[in-house]
Amino acid sequence: MVKICCIGAGYVGGPTMAVIAFKCPSVEVAVVDISVPRITAWNSDKLPIYEPGLDEVVKKCRGKNLFFSNEIEKHVAAADIVFVSVNTPTKTSGLGAGKAADLTYWESAARMIADVSKSSKIVVEKSTVPVKTAEAIEKILTHNSKGIEFHVLSNPEFLAEGTAITDLFNPDRVLIGGREENAGGLKAIQTLKDIYVQWVPQERIICTNLWSAELSKLAANAFLAQRISSVNSISALCEATGANVTQVSSAVGKDLRIGSKFLNASVGFGGSCFQKDILNLVYICECNGLPEVANYWKQVIKINDYQKNRFVNRLVSSMFNTISGKKIGILGFSFKKDTGDTRETPAIDVCKGLLNDKAQLVIYDPQVPEAQIFKDLSTPKFDWDQLGSTIQITEDAVAQSVKVVHNAYEATKDAHAICILTEWDEFKSLDYQKIYNNMPKPAYMFDGRNVVDVAKLRQIGFIVYSIGKPLDPWLKDMPAIA
Ligand code: UDX
Ligand code: ADP
């Protein structure tokens, strides 16, 4: 029986290992983490992350060939293959602050593997890491190896949150990077391939050298984020000229060379990967003497920041330039639907912008816990481009001006305006007439996800702003936004 150990039981490690255990009954998988509450939750009925389909997969395998444990060293020592799926946040101080990845967790995991190993191991990079991390890891492992052989592979994960299980069941591709130039490296690649081939068609398993695999992950995320910034930049032009961004992106996406996916205009992209990976790419370019390339990719994040600011400015300017003391109902806080994850969610910046203008916020999200929302809004955000323009809100101000409630009707009752910041399905079918009746007039709707039926809401009486859609006559007369 092949033994796998995965260090890091997060959004990537947890679902990926659950699916490997599910698809490969002859493989024993242990997922380990330093966090005791996380592992306790993985072993309970309430898993630490919300992901459609995950509960069923975990329930089928847990206790059979899937184990969650805090006994990190024991499971690492026993494993043939060690996946490393720890977090790699952006550095917030020192050299490369704001751009480079902080590899502290990675390095400590690598040193621990070298320390406890008594047999040869394949060590697999699963977290997205800067190009050439594998080389650094190899150095740590071989210099501390006590004669044991380690083979390092890069096997970046392309799952998206909210669809993780279907993505893992049916991946577009599985990428395995390794030392193709030597027999040990080739054997390690084959060993990992033998796992995936149990459910992934051969032709979708791509083997490359280490650096290509690492760079492909950064490049894929950068290309995806770039599409969103592209359509979001067009959304601003649509609003200025009366075109409809949904019609434009549908027409553009019909070109098979462009494709129709990932062209939805929004209040901005979020999630743990896009901004972090692009900043990483920017840093690598700068370090390699490529400032033009670095600046090209920076622009993708700048447009994302611009889109969030634009949304806040539009709201304030539409409401007579003052939202001080006005109640605003916020629908959705997670960075996309079907996840409770709030990392880099545009809702944080939008809510901070509204709080900065002294609004009172009542927030509802079907999955994000109240404590997380308070934490996100009061945690100082790192200013990635160091322009000093990042808004910081104190814990006291958040406590005084934010309320978290348990349904959309409560959030919107007596609200002067509603902001939709996540495209949860339930927001499509709310009783907007009832909501309208419970709001002071004029009642505003600011849809940052193009969820609502604009014509229907206007008929009810709402003043509606929907990203990239022709403006409400009311909004057209308002002062121009920055
Ligand atoms: C992303 C990549 O898709 C995945 O391959 C990688 O492994 C991790 O990063 P994830 O961040 O989970 O996955 O979600 P994704 O579906 O890519 O969405 C990211 C953000 O872009 C979300 O905030 C989403 O709402 C936004 N988005 C997406 C848009 O605004 N418009 C779109 O058309 C698509
Ligand atoms: P991702 O989205 O990349 O999966 P997460 O933050 O969700 O990131 O998960 C990373 C996990 O890695 C966390 O649960 C964290 O506790 C764990 N972790 C970080 N460093 C170590 C370490 N040295 N040993 C074990 N677990 C670690």
Side-chain angles (χ1 to χ4, degrees), residues 7-14 32-35 38 49 72 85-88 104-106 108-109 112 127-128 161 272-273 276 341 343:
I7 307 176
Y11 284 91
V12 173
V32 297
D33 203 292
I34 33 173
S35 161
R38 244 199 185 177
I49 61 177
I72 304 178
S85 193
V86 300
N87 29 344
T88 49
T104 315
Y105 302 104
W106 236 108
S108 89
M112 183 270 300
S127 346
T128 309
E161 286 173 37
S272 70
C273 286
K276 182 184 81 175
D341 194 354
R343 289 177 291 178

Side-chain angles (χ1 to χ4, degrees), residues 98-157:
K99 296 193 206 96
D102 181 349
L103 292 177
T104 315
Y105 302 104
W106 236 108
E107 182 170 342
S108 89
R111 287 185 188 279
M112 183 270 300
I113 297 170
D115 232 30
V116 304
S117 294
K118 296 197 171 56
S119 57
S120 296
K121 298 203 188 313
I122 296 172
V123 177
V124 186
E125 263 182 359
K126 205 56 173 150
S127 346
T128 309
V129 287
V131 181
K132 304 257 168 176
T133 301
E135 194 175 37
I137 300 306
E138 254 176 357
K139 282 191 184 128
I140 294 175
L141 290 170
T142 45
H143 284 288
N144 296 284
S145 74
K146 299 168 248 154
I148 291 166
E149 238 183 74
F150 290 106
H151 294 288
V152 178
L153 300 178
S154 167
N155 173 220
E157 185 46 64

Side-chain angles (χ1 to χ4, degrees), residues 12 128 157-163 167 173 217 220-221 224 228 231-232 261-274 277 334-337 344-346 423 449:
V12 173
T128 309
E157 185 46 64
F158 293 97
L159 68 80
E161 286 173 37
T163 52
D167 292 347
R173 78 298 210 188
K217 176 67 198 281
N221 275 343
L224 288 169
I228 303 168
V231 75
N232 281 346
K261 291 186 181 157
F262 248 71
L263 286 179
N264 294 323
S266 68
V267 60
F269 60 74
S272 70
C273 286
F274 284 176
D277 289 353
S334 59
F335 82 97
K336 63 188 274 198
K337 74 170 180 176
E344 300 294 340
T345 177
E423 73 285 18
R449 296 287 185 167

